Amino acid sequence: MNFGFSEEQELLRQQVRKLLDEQCPMNEVRRLIETPEGYSRELWKQLAELGFLGLLIPEEYGGAGLGWVDQVVMFEETGRTLFPSPLISTLLAASVIGDIGSEEQRRRWLPVIADGSRIGSLALLDQADVWSTEGVRLTARRRGDTFVLDGEKPFVVDANRADLLVVAFRTGGDDADLALAVVDGDVPGLEVTPVPTLDRTKCLGTVRFDDVQVAAQDVLGAPATAGPAISRVLDRGAAAVCAEMIGAAEAALASTVSYAKDRIQFGSPIGRFQGVKHPLAEMYTDIESFKSLVYYAAWALDRAPARVPLAVSEAKAFGSLAFSRIGIDGVQLHGAVGYTEEYDIQLYLKRSKWARPMFGDEDHHHDRIASLGGY
Amino acid sequence: MNFGFSEEQELLRQQVRKLLDEQCPMNEVRRLIETPEGYSRELWKQLAELGFLGLLIPEEYGGAGLGWVDQVVMFEETGRTLFPSPLISTLLAASVIGDIGSEEQRRRWLPVIADGSRIGSLALLDQADVWSTEGVRLTARRRGDTFVLDGEKPFVVDANRADLLVVAFRTGGDDADLALAVVDGDVPGLEVTPVPTLDRTKCLGTVRFDDVQVAAQDVLGAPATAGPAISRVLDRGAAAVCAEMIGAAEAALASTVSYAKDRIQFGSPIGRFQGVKHPLAEMYTDIESFKSLVYYAAWALDRAPARVPLAVSEAKAFGSLAFSRIGIDGVQLHGAVGYTEEYDIQLYLKRSKWARPMFGDEDHHHDRIASLGGY
Amino acid sequence: MDFDFTPEEEAFRDEVRRFVAENHPGTETPDPGAMKKWCEKLVERRWIGFSWPTEVGGGGGTVLQQFILKEEMSAARAPSLGFDFMGLTWVGPALIRWGTDQQKRRFLPDLLNARSLWCTGYSEPDHGSDLGSLQCRAVREGDEYVVNGQKIWTTLAHRAKWIFMLVRCDTDSSPSKVRGITCLLIPMDSPGIEVQPIVSLTGVHSFNQVFFKDVKVPVGNRLGEEGQGWRVVMGALAHERSGISEATEKVRHLEDLIELARGSRKNGRPALEDASVRRKLASFQARISAMRLNGVRHLTRQLRGEAPSTETSINKLLRGSIEIEMSELALGLQGSEGQCEGDWQARSLNFHGTVIGGGSPNIQRNIIAERILGLPKD
Amino acid sequence: MDFDFTPEEEAFRDEVRRFVAENHPGTETPDPGAMKKWCEKLVERRWIGFSWPTEVGGGGGTVLQQFILKEEMSAARAPSLGFDFMGLTWVGPALIRWGTDQQKRRFLPDLLNARSLWCTGYSEPDHGSDLGSLQCRAVREGDEYVVNGQKIWTTLAHRAKWIFMLVRCDTDSSPSKVRGITCLLIPMDSPGIEVQPIVSLTGVHSFNQVFFKDVKVPVGNRLGEEGQGWRVVMGALAHERSGISEATEKVRHLEDLIELARGSRKNGRPALEDASVRRKLASFQARISAMRLNGVRHLTRQLRGEAPSTETSINKLLRGSIEIEMSELALGLQGSEGQCEGDWQARSLNFHGTVIGGGSPNIQRNIIAERILGLPKD
């Protein structure tokens, strides 16, 4: 029993923080999200060179072979600075390949993800907001050895910048007929329509499949393994979003605390008044508790798979509510300037509105907690 | 359009307040609830003499012929002092008789209610917490000209002190077969088992019917009038409870404000701190808004019957939530003494727990608002 | 206690409804041409400045007619009653009460004929919620005032022709007083005025900072006496804040929200079958009714000639929590779509402006706690 | 990061489970005879004072074993580990750290053998949450202290044999300091002590006021030096407040609540089919998990020898809101039955004691805001 990070993990945190503070401070974030790509390819390369893109990828495939607890440390930092990048998407795509891909498939894709030359994403659900295998409706036709896809996956994160998409589809009526395949971002018939987002540090797109052919060798895993793999990656996705939420929530709190100390009204810093102080204390309480839940979920992802679904749902349910409140209260406690484009707090508010539905909102995860608990 | 009380109504308020302050201050309330009867018969007589028991009863039956807005004024005052008495029950029983009773029945019962010699109550539901005609399940057998009742009505308010009970039952399978009858409190076969209450200023009992005979002349109203009459009296009951809630909530706020002004901590009255001041402001906001809703509902009861169901549900839903919070926050803001038997604030907390489910809690009334609104 | 309207009032309501049916341009935010037409029709009826006395060219409408007019317009999602919100809300009533005949003749016709556009200079940096300590100074030099200082959160300053401006005239060194405050009417094209935009979190430019450097204002442009500025402003404020139009606006948002819920699914089932969704909607409905009725109480006080009470602060607090919770429910119903740009999404960000404008919720709580409940100041 | 237990720890868990299975008296609150038997069994195992060093007769259990012991006992709804909660929580650890050999010999055996009953004299009227300003005075006269003053909220003072008492010894006139505070151990039957009951809102007598009039206490009954009282108390406090037992208690209340929901109906349907009921229950579950994990973080700090952080304040805040909301849901599910006397009803009133005890939610918020976030004091 040990609730704490190792020295290596603390070092990792410092490295990531230093890199982001130096290379991607908030003015750079604001600049990047105005560019067509929305992120910095150079910084992406740099992350790859420092080994940060392959933390979870085993060493034999060019990664660092670390675990989710380490990955969470990194995401806390990318969340803190609202670092715009296809990091989570790429990591989740790699995790599916690592999870059920064949040796050959892993060798083919994991090293090029770890070295930063391929960006990945997930295109799982065509039934929006049904965060389970039930959300996969797209049914492939068979044409010889290949599958042919016709349909649409809405709300695909980073769709416009992904070199490869892990696509879920059905080959029959059962859940055993679920399939996952790696589809090239520029395969003929695949069209991505970007969708403007509220949180512009994140990208969304609709992926349209028009007679897209999927070769047998691009289909991941043995028969009947895709369903469970989808469930697992949805949990991993929720955990990743949670980890970024921690960092973002802490930054929102820090920014509001600092404003409360500096802003003088009626002759005192407003942070002296309990009407300001107490909501800040509640934010802190929520964040610390949320951290406990997320760290536990990350440990479960590494070491106790059976505990993952409940741990993840408790974390995401708690965090979705808490971070939403933090975003709103943070803006409100900034008073009128919270409403301006100039102050950063609004960017965290927008992030909270991004994070809440991502991989299921509080209602979804509360419902799941209840089902898992048999009530 | 006029949102305010008349001079007569303000006068009524002063009269009731003066009487209760003089005759039934809080130490008297505390004494009375330790007595077997739980209220003061002398004071009841006095209320009758002053005409306060028959505000709503038409003048030709010995009442004052006033309306619900007047009655609300009086209930605000009885709520303020947590006046222990079977007032609401008696008034509601009279209102059913006045509503659908025959001329003869009115002459028989209304004057003896108005003059204080008979206490009444409602025994409507045998399906607890189904606040509609669906909650009436008790089915009477016919024996010649009389109906025979066998069964139980739980949670009957003031059952132990009622001289007459307005009982709802069924004579067949349709809602048209619903019936209401006046049953004497000491009729053979009727047994009341008192149930200890959390809010001891209020009384509950289970009424058991064992071959209780109801004569035809005691059945109220023409056929098929009982169902609508039950619906109407449930709304009136909710309005009456709301009016008492206003008074109680205002008293809880006043007591907490006064404590916040007097109690010194860290060198200041605690009422200086926003952590105390702001919840008090929220209480005030809730109470004033609740008043608006209740006064409107009272006006609708007098003048616009079609608007009653929605107006009552909006008031009771809002008030159930608000008063619950006020009770809890009131105790909490009193700090440790709020937890003691000695301070009055706990009595208001208990009243809030009484009032919330009475004639439907916030969930019930929110559901009803939604149904009435067609969503 | 009477919540009915007289037959005359009901007849007026019908008149408004007919007018709207005939003249509604089909959208709440028409293009300038259609808006101009809409305003012309309103001017014909004297519904701009409807509650102002007929002697000054107003419509002479009663408080209740005004209430009915606003409520019906809002319910029908009609465009606003003119576009000079600040001018009609603040400047007109203040001019009528405090203006010289010359000032009235000069400014009221434009206001009544929808040809004006005013902004108001109240807030200053570092004194957002604390009007009594404003710093902008006017020094009298002969027949002119020379104004120096800065205003912030000035809505539409970049388009307004005039600013209704509060300055400090006293030479008293202690600044935290309302005594020295004076009201000036200043053309926005005066030399020495500079307007800098403030962009909102949704990228919209409506607020501004306004800088005043040696701006010369003729003494004839002073409204009321020196030191009366506070009363000039507050008198106007009292009569325009029943909160009823806010309640009516919320009724419409709730209708939208119910429609959104009708088209959404939750946990695989229609969202309207979800008990928590239904109850939240119902709770909004109850609270919006409370807002409306609180507004009616405010009206009654007006009708009785009583001083306005705390209904404004109460309704602002109610409104703040309703805005937050409605936005959260709406985005929750939208799910992934809530991550994209859209009306509800913009509303979920924009309400922060309305919640904070005119005093944050904490300021409202202080007002209630200190002025009504008599708790000690912090 | 590791949330697993070692095989040895798991073996100890099994041992506790077996013990409970064999010795559980069938109720959490057994009659005195059964409680005595239960305590004897605990004493045999050295599970009373389990975490105290073996040198003083304690069980020598590790922090984690102690955690496992408490968690399993709570999960099994076993009676408490002894009945002298105050003695075991405050007095024992303080004696072990600060007591003279003679004091240890005199007091520890009774504590370990479940023969003691202590109360603690911290709070005073007007200084409930502000321990540093306590007023109760002890004046040294030869070999004795003479104690005068008053304590309040003294749990079980009417039954305790001894009081673990904080007094002020300094003659310094400025009272708001912890410097002069001293800890005395005083027999409750000393002449000059008077106990007055405080009855709770549920009619239960557990708190008291205790009056001290010229109570003479031998100097040998002083624990630690004069002026060290604050450290004596705080050292003990730090080690007993992981908040894990509170979380485990809440787990059990949640089980009860789910059972209640299982047997209730809402709007004519089983309450567990009601989305809002289910989600509230799930939200309690998530928050209780957070409490437990916050407690584990606290344990880790202890294991690493680090100073305890804010986990206690955090968990007290979490707990407060969970208590309130669980009570509201429970009574909501009970409907009319909630108006009667019963367990949930009593709990819905009683939690006010636990929420306020040890510092109200507002005090916790101040602690977090000032000590952790560095905001200025009010």
Side-chain angles (χ1 to χ4, degrees):
Chain A
M1 177 68 69
N2 171 17
F3 193 120
F5 293 104
S6 66
E7 278 179 34
E8 292 76 14
Q9 286 158 345
E10 293 298 349
L11 193 68
L12 172 67
R13 182 187 299 283
Q14 285 163 32
Q15 286 175 324
V16 178
R17 186 177 293 195
K18 185 157 176 287
L19 181 74
L20 294 177
D21 283 353
E22 283 172 10
Q23 307 277 319
C24 203
M26 202 50 82
N27 57 353
E28 176 66 4
V29 171
R30 285 172 176 264
R31 192 190 66 78
L32 282 172
I33 62 179
E34 300 294 332
T35 63
E37 291 202 307
Y39 75 110
S40 158
R41 278 187 184 262
E42 300 86 66
L43 196 46
W44 187 257
K45 273 288 175 199
Q46 219 173 322
L47 288 171
E49 281 156 24
L50 291 164
F52 291 155
L53 297 185
L55 289 191
L56 284 172
I57 293 176
E59 289 177 68
E60 63 260 47
Y61 306 115
L66 297 177
W68 269 91
V69 175
D70 310 275
Q71 187 63 56
V72 157
V73 167
M74 179 173 173
F75 281 144
E76 285 187 298
E77 296 307 313
T78 57
R80 189 181 311 277
T81 60
L82 302 179
F83 178 57
S85 84
L87 199 57
I88 292 183
S89 305
T90 301
L91 178 149
L92 292 176
S95 86
V96 178
I97 297 167
D99 188 6
I100 58 162
S102 66
E103 180 61 22
E104 197 201 320
Q105 289 168 330
R106 294 179 191 185
R107 294 215 170 277
R108 194 164 133 214
W109 285 305
L110 296 185
V112 293
I113 287 176
D115 73 9
S117 50
R118 287 288 181 286
I119 284 168
S121 187
L122 301 175
L124 302 180
L125 310 177
D126 33 330
Q127 192 77 345
D129 300 306
V130 180
W131 296 101
S132 68
T133 51
E134 279 180 57
V136 182
R137 299 288 168 92
L138 176 65
T139 302
R141 282 173 292 130
R142 229 174 236 286
R143 188 183 294 156
D145 249 13
T146 66
F147 291 107
V148 181
L149 302 179
D150 282 292
E152 201 174 277
K153 300 270 178 187
F155 307 115
V156 173
V157 184
D158 296 318
N160 54 326
R161 36 200 193 189
D163 303 303
L164 51 90
L165 287 166
V166 173
V167 180
F169 54 90
R170 289 174 182 275
T171 61
D174 282 347
D175 263 16
D177 301 323
L178 282 163
L180 285 163
V182 178
V183 174
D184 225 62
D186 48 14
V187 73
L190 187 149
E191 198 186 359
V192 173
T193 315
V195 179
T197 48
L198 206 64
D199 173 6
R200 298 183 57 206
T201 64
K202 296 287 186 183
C203 291
L204 278 181
T206 303
V207 179
R208 166 108 216 117
F209 301 91
D210 186 8
D211 205 49
V212 169
Q213 307 206 16
V214 179
Q217 82 229 41
D218 297 341
V219 175
L220 295 168
T225 59
I230 292 170
S231 302
R232 283 192 296 271
V233 78
L234 290 175
D235 277 334
R236 278 182 233 128
V241 170
C242 281
E244 279 206 334
M245 287 160 79
I246 293 176
E250 283 196 309
L253 172 59
S255 148
T256 312
V257 165
S258 143
Y259 183 79
K261 286 177 185 171
D262 293 345
R263 167 79 175 169
I264 309 290
Q265 210 161 35
F266 303 110
S268 294
I270 60 169
R272 181 172 78 78
F273 300 111
Q274 292 185 351
V276 172
K277 179 182 278 190
H278 288 181
L280 292 172
E282 295 285 350
M283 288 186 194
Y284 179 82
T285 299
D286 280 350
I287 292 172
E288 291 303 309
S289 303
F290 180 41
K291 279 182 178 174
S292 293
L293 291 167
V294 177
Y295 297 163
Y296 179 75
W299 171 81
L301 280 166
D302 288 333
R303 298 277 306 276
R307 303 194 208 170
V308 166
L310 180 59
V312 163
S313 279
E314 288 186 348
K316 187 65 178 37
F318 187 99
S320 295
L321 277 173
F323 188 26
S324 294
R325 260 194 313 260
I326 288 167
I328 290 168
D329 287 351
V331 165
Q332 290 223 9
L333 293 173
H334 271 74
V337 302
Y339 180 71
T340 64
E341 205 266 343
E342 184 189 346
Y343 276 69
D344 294 336
I345 189 67
Q346 50 101 3
L347 297 173
Y348 291 97
L349 173 68
K350 290 172 183 167
R351 172 59 64 89
S352 75
K353 300 200 183 297
W354 166 270
R356 184 182 170 211
M358 204 66 233
F359 294 103
D361 68 3
E362 69 277 13
D363 284 352
H364 168 80
H365 285 287
H366 280 142
D367 288 340
R368 191 165 172 240
I369 291 168
S371 299
L372 290 168
Y375 57 92
Chain B
M1 178 69 67
N2 171 17
F3 194 120
F5 293 103
S6 66
E7 277 179 37
E8 292 75 14
Q9 286 159 345
E10 294 297 348
L11 194 67
L12 172 66
R13 182 188 299 284
Q14 284 163 33
Q15 287 175 323
V16 178
R17 186 179 292 196
K18 186 157 175 289
L19 181 73
L20 294 177
D21 283 351
E22 284 173 9
Q23 307 278 320
C24 203
M26 202 50 82
N27 56 352
E28 175 67 3
V29 171
R30 284 171 176 265
R31 191 190 67 77
L32 282 172
I33 62 178
E34 299 294 332
T35 63
E37 291 202 309
Y39 76 109
S40 158
R41 277 187 186 263
E42 299 86 67
L43 197 45
W44 187 257
K45 273 289 175 200
Q46 219 173 323
L47 287 171
E49 280 156 24
L50 291 164
F52 291 155
L53 297 186
L55 289 191
L56 285 170
I57 294 176
E59 291 176 69
E60 63 260 47
Y61 308 114
L66 297 177
W68 269 92
V69 175
D70 310 275
Q71 187 62 56
V72 158
V73 167
M74 179 173 173
F75 280 144
E76 285 186 300
E77 297 308 313
T78 58
R80 189 181 313 276
T81 60
L82 303 178
F83 178 57
S85 82
L87 199 57
I88 292 184
S89 305
T90 301
L91 177 149
L92 292 176
S95 86
V96 178
I97 297 167
D99 188 5
I100 59 164
S102 66
E103 180 61 22
E104 195 202 323
Q105 288 168 331
R106 294 178 191 187
R107 293 216 171 275
R108 192 162 132 214
W109 286 304
L110 296 184
V112 293
I113 286 177
D115 73 10
S117 50
R118 287 289 181 285
I119 284 168
S121 187
L122 301 175
L124 302 180
L125 310 177
D126 34 330
Q127 191 76 344
D129 300 307
V130 179
W131 296 101
S132 69
T133 52
E134 279 180 56
V136 182
R137 298 289 168 91
L138 176 66
T139 303
R141 282 173 293 131
R142 228 176 237 286
R143 189 184 294 158
D145 248 14
T146 66
F147 291 107
V148 182
L149 302 179
D150 282 292
E152 201 175 279
K153 300 269 180 190
F155 306 115
V156 173
V157 184
D158 296 316
N160 54 326
R161 38 201 193 188
D163 303 303
L164 51 90
L165 288 166
V166 173
V167 181
F169 54 91
R170 288 174 182 276
T171 62
D174 283 347
D175 263 17
D177 301 323
L178 282 163
L180 286 163
V182 178
V183 174
D184 225 61
D186 48 15
V187 74
L190 187 149
E191 197 187 0
V192 173
T193 315
V195 178
T197 48
L198 205 65
D199 173 5
R200 297 183 58 205
T201 64
K202 295 288 186 182
C203 291
L204 277 181
T206 304
V207 178
R208 166 108 217 116
F209 301 90
D210 185 8
D211 204 52
V212 169
Q213 306 204 21
V214 179
Q217 83 229 41
D218 297 341
V219 175
L220 295 167
T225 60
I230 291 170
S231 303
R232 283 192 296 271
V233 77
L234 290 176
D235 277 334
R236 278 182 232 126
V241 170
C242 281
E244 278 207 335
M245 287 160 78
I246 292 176
E250 283 195 310
L253 171 59
S255 148
T256 312
V257 165
S258 144
Y259 183 79
K261 286 177 184 169
D262 292 345
R263 167 78 175 167
I264 308 290
Q265 209 162 36
F266 304 109
S268 294
I270 60 169
R272 181 174 76 80
F273 300 112
Q274 293 185 351
V276 171
K277 179 181 279 190
H278 288 181
L280 293 171
E282 295 286 349
M283 288 184 195
Y284 179 82
T285 300
D286 280 350
I287 292 172
E288 290 303 309
S289 303
F290 180 41
K291 279 182 179 174
S292 294
L293 291 167
V294 177
Y295 298 162
Y296 180 75
W299 170 81
L301 279 165
D302 287 333
R303 299 278 305 277
R307 302 193 208 171
V308 167
L310 181 59
V312 163
S313 279
E314 289 186 347
K316 188 63 177 41
F318 187 98
S320 296
L321 275 174
F323 187 26
S324 294
R325 260 195 312 262
I326 288 168
I328 290 168
D329 287 351
V331 166
Q332 290 222 10
L333 293 173
H334 271 75
V337 303
Y339 180 70
T340 65
E341 205 266 341
E342 184 188 346
Y343 276 68
D344 293 336
I345 188 69
Q346 50 100 4
L347 297 174
Y348 291 97
L349 173 67
K350 290 172 183 166
R351 173 59 66 90
S352 75
K353 299 200 183 296
W354 166 270
R356 184 182 171 211
M358 204 65 235
F359 294 102
D361 67 3
E362 68 278 12
D363 284 352
H364 169 79
H365 285 287
H366 280 141
D367 288 340
R368 189 165 174 240
I369 291 167
S371 300
L372 292 167
Y375 57 89
Chain C
M1 194 85 50
D2 182 7
F3 294 92
D4 267 336
F5 293 92
T6 62
E8 293 72 27
E9 286 158 354
E10 291 294 355
F12 178 68
R13 188 185 293 279
D14 288 341
E15 183 189 340
V16 178
R17 286 188 182 160
R18 275 196 309 276
F19 176 88
V20 172
E22 283 165 23
N23 297 292
H24 196 305
T27 163
E28 261 180 291
T29 49
D31 59 53
M35 187 65 192
K36 191 159 173 283
K37 254 195 198 148
W38 168 252
C39 286
E40 280 164 10
K41 294 279 180 193
L42 292 171
V43 168
E44 271 176 33
R45 300 259 173 166
R46 297 242 161 276
W47 285 355
I48 290 182
F50 179 50
S51 64
W52 301 355
T54 46
E55 304 91 83
V56 300
T62 66
V63 169
L64 281 179
Q65 283 177 323
Q66 172 85 343
F67 165 68
I68 290 165
L69 176 65
K70 283 189 178 181
E71 191 168 60
E72 287 301 322
M73 287 289 179
S74 179
R77 304 189 180 216
S80 57
L81 287 163
F83 42 77
D84 186 8
F85 179 77
M86 293 295 177
L88 293 166
T89 306
W90 295 93
V91 185
L95 276 166
I96 292 166
R97 173 111 187 255
W98 305 90
T100 61
D101 283 348
Q102 198 194 348
Q103 287 171 336
K104 288 180 189 170
R105 277 197 305 275
R106 181 170 179 191
F107 295 113
L108 289 178
D110 278 357
L111 280 162
L112 289 163
N113 292 302
R115 289 195 302 256
S116 60
L117 191 61
W118 286 81
C119 61
T120 55
Y122 301 155
S123 293
E124 297 183 5
D126 302 324
H127 303 97
S129 308
D130 183 14
L131 216 52
S133 65
L134 64 81
Q135 299 281 319
C136 215
R137 292 208 163 255
V139 176
R140 173 103 181 232
E141 290 183 4
D143 281 353
E144 289 181 334
Y145 288 101
V146 180
V147 177
N148 278 286
Q150 185 183 351
K151 296 285 174 183
I152 196 167
W153 313 119
T154 316
T155 310
L156 291 180
H158 57 301
R159 290 177 42 212
K161 295 185 234 170
W162 286 80
I163 184 165
F164 180 81
M165 171 89 174
L166 288 183
V167 294
R168 179 170 295 284
C169 274
D170 59 347
T171 48
D172 188 341
S173 60
S174 93
S176 189
K177 285 180 181 161
V178 299
R179 242 188 333 131
I181 294 177
T182 303
C183 181
L184 297 180
L185 311 174
I186 312 179
M188 283 300 286
D189 58 4
S190 306
I193 294 185
E194 195 199 322
V195 177
Q196 276 183 11
I198 298 174
V199 179
S200 85
L201 78 179
T202 46
V204 172
H205 171 205
S206 144
F207 290 127
N208 300 275
Q209 295 199 70
V210 188
F211 297 88
F212 297 81
K213 191 165 160 45
D214 294 333
V215 176
K216 295 191 166 46
V217 183
V219 169
N221 283 15
R222 188 187 67 218
L223 183 55
E225 296 305 311
E226 271 195 22
Q228 275 192 333
W230 184 258
R231 285 161 67 196
V232 168
V233 168
M234 284 301 127
L237 179 63
H239 282 272
E240 286 296 336
R241 287 222 179 164
S242 69
I244 285 171
S245 15
E246 285 82 1
T248 319
E249 183 197 61
K250 288 285 140 288
V251 167
R252 293 190 289 117
H253 289 176
L254 178 59
E255 288 166 5
D256 292 348
L257 193 52
I258 292 169
E259 272 320 294
L260 175 62
R262 218 179 278 288
S264 306
R265 297 180 73 79
K266 191 105 204 155
N267 204 4
R269 297 229 313 258
L272 272 184
E273 289 178 14
D274 186 294
S276 73
V277 172
R278 277 163 61 86
R279 290 187 199 134
K280 278 179 197 168
L281 293 169
S283 136
F284 299 141
Q285 190 178 329
R287 288 187 278 168
I288 293 166
S289 291
M291 276 181 75
R292 181 175 182 281
L293 290 164
N294 290 340
V296 173
R297 274 166 93 178
H298 182 92
L299 277 186
T300 297
R301 283 180 178 276
Q302 262 185 271
L303 287 167
R304 292 181 174 186
E306 291 170 19
S309 181
T310 46
E311 291 87 359
T312 311
S313 290
I314 288 172
N315 269 357
K316 275 198 66 94
L317 278 183
L318 278 180
R319 181 184 180 184
S321 58
I322 291 172
E323 295 268 17
I324 289 172
E325 292 170 44
M326 282 178 84
S327 291
E328 290 298 286
L329 179 58
L331 266 60
L333 288 168
Q334 290 188 313
S336 298
E337 205 186 319
Q339 296 175 317
C340 312
E341 289 182 352
D343 285 349
W344 272 110
Q345 294 85 327
R347 202 179 277 168
S348 80
L349 300 174
N350 273 330
F351 78 82
H352 291 282
T354 54
V355 166
I356 288 162
S360 70
N362 276 351
I363 297 286
Q364 308 302 334
R365 292 184 188 106
N366 285 345
I367 290 173
I368 292 170
E370 291 164 14
R371 297 195 203 154
I372 309 296
L373 303 178
L375 291 162
K377 282 205 178 246
D378 203 348
Chain D
M1 196 82 51
D2 183 6
F3 293 92
D4 268 335
F5 293 93
T6 63
E8 293 74 26
E9 286 158 357
E10 291 295 356
F12 177 70
R13 189 185 293 279
D14 288 340
E15 186 190 335
V16 177
R17 285 189 184 162
R18 276 195 310 275
F19 176 90
V20 173
E22 283 164 25
N23 297 293
H24 196 306
T27 163
E28 262 180 289
T29 49
D31 60 52
M35 187 64 189
K36 192 159 171 281
K37 254 196 200 149
W38 168 254
C39 285
E40 280 163 10
K41 294 280 180 193
L42 293 171
V43 168
E44 271 176 32
R45 299 258 174 168
R46 298 240 160 278
W47 285 354
I48 290 182
F50 179 51
S51 63
W52 301 355
T54 48
E55 305 90 82
V56 301
T62 66
V63 169
L64 281 178
Q65 283 179 323
Q66 172 84 345
F67 165 67
I68 291 165
L69 177 66
K70 283 189 179 179
E71 192 169 57
E72 288 301 321
M73 287 288 179
S74 177
R77 305 192 179 213
S80 57
L81 286 162
F83 41 77
D84 186 8
F85 180 77
M86 293 294 179
L88 293 166
T89 306
W90 296 93
V91 186
L95 276 167
I96 292 167
R97 175 115 186 252
W98 304 92
T100 62
D101 283 348
Q102 200 195 344
Q103 286 171 336
K104 288 179 189 169
R105 276 196 308 274
R106 181 171 181 190
F107 295 113
L108 289 178
D110 278 358
L111 281 161
L112 289 164
N113 291 303
R115 290 195 301 255
S116 60
L117 192 61
W118 286 82
C119 62
T120 56
Y122 301 156
S123 292
E124 297 182 5
D126 301 325
H127 302 98
S129 310
D130 184 11
L131 216 52
S133 64
L134 64 81
Q135 300 278 319
C136 215
R137 293 210 163 251
V139 176
R140 174 101 180 232
E141 291 185 1
D143 280 351
E144 288 179 335
Y145 289 101
V146 180
V147 177
N148 278 286
Q150 184 183 351
K151 296 286 173 181
I152 196 166
W153 314 117
T154 315
T155 311
L156 291 180
H158 56 302
R159 290 178 41 212
K161 294 183 238 172
W162 287 81
I163 184 166
F164 179 81
M165 172 88 175
L166 288 183
V167 295
R168 178 170 296 283
C169 274
D170 60 347
T171 47
D172 187 342
S173 60
S174 91
S176 187
K177 283 179 183 165
V178 298
R179 241 185 338 127
I181 294 177
T182 303
C183 181
L184 297 180
L185 311 175
I186 310 179
M188 283 300 287
D189 57 5
S190 305
I193 294 185
E194 195 199 323
V195 176
Q196 277 184 9
I198 299 173
V199 179
S200 85
L201 77 178
T202 46
V204 172
H205 170 204
S206 140
F207 290 127
N208 300 275
Q209 294 200 71
V210 187
F211 297 89
F212 296 80
K213 190 163 161 48
D214 294 333
V215 176
K216 295 190 168 45
V217 183
V219 169
N221 282 16
R222 187 187 67 218
L223 184 55
E225 297 303 311
E226 272 194 22
Q228 275 190 333
W230 184 259
R231 285 160 69 197
V232 168
V233 168
M234 285 298 127
L237 179 63
H239 283 271
E240 288 294 341
R241 287 220 179 163
S242 69
I244 285 171
S245 15
E246 285 82 0
T248 319
E249 183 197 59
K250 287 286 139 290
V251 168
R252 293 189 290 118
H253 289 176
L254 179 58
E255 288 166 5
D256 293 349
L257 193 52
I258 292 169
E259 272 321 293
L260 175 62
R262 217 178 279 288
S264 306
R265 296 180 74 80
K266 192 105 204 156
N267 203 5
R269 296 228 314 257
L272 273 184
E273 287 177 16
D274 186 295
S276 73
V277 172
R278 278 163 61 85
R279 287 184 201 136
K280 278 179 197 167
L281 293 169
S283 136
F284 299 141
Q285 189 177 329
R287 287 187 277 168
I288 293 166
S289 292
M291 275 181 76
R292 182 175 181 278
L293 290 164
N294 290 340
V296 173
R297 276 165 93 177
H298 183 90
L299 277 187
T300 298
R301 282 180 179 277
Q302 260 185 272
L303 287 167
R304 292 181 174 185
E306 291 170 18
S309 180
T310 46
E311 291 87 359
T312 311
S313 290
I314 289 172
N315 269 357
K316 275 196 67 93
L317 279 183
L318 279 179
R319 182 185 179 182
S321 58
I322 292 172
E323 295 268 18
I324 290 171
E325 292 171 43
M326 281 178 84
S327 292
E328 289 299 285
L329 179 57
L331 267 61
L333 289 168
Q334 289 189 312
S336 298
E337 205 187 317
Q339 297 175 317
C340 312
E341 288 183 354
D343 286 348
W344 271 109
Q345 294 84 329
R347 202 178 277 167
S348 81
L349 300 174
N350 273 328
F351 79 82
H352 291 284
T354 55
V355 166
I356 288 162
S360 71
N362 276 353
I363 296 287
Q364 307 303 333
R365 291 184 190 106
N366 285 345
I367 289 173
I368 292 170
E370 291 165 14
R371 296 198 203 152
I372 309 296
L373 302 179
L375 291 162
K377 282 201 176 252
D378 203 347

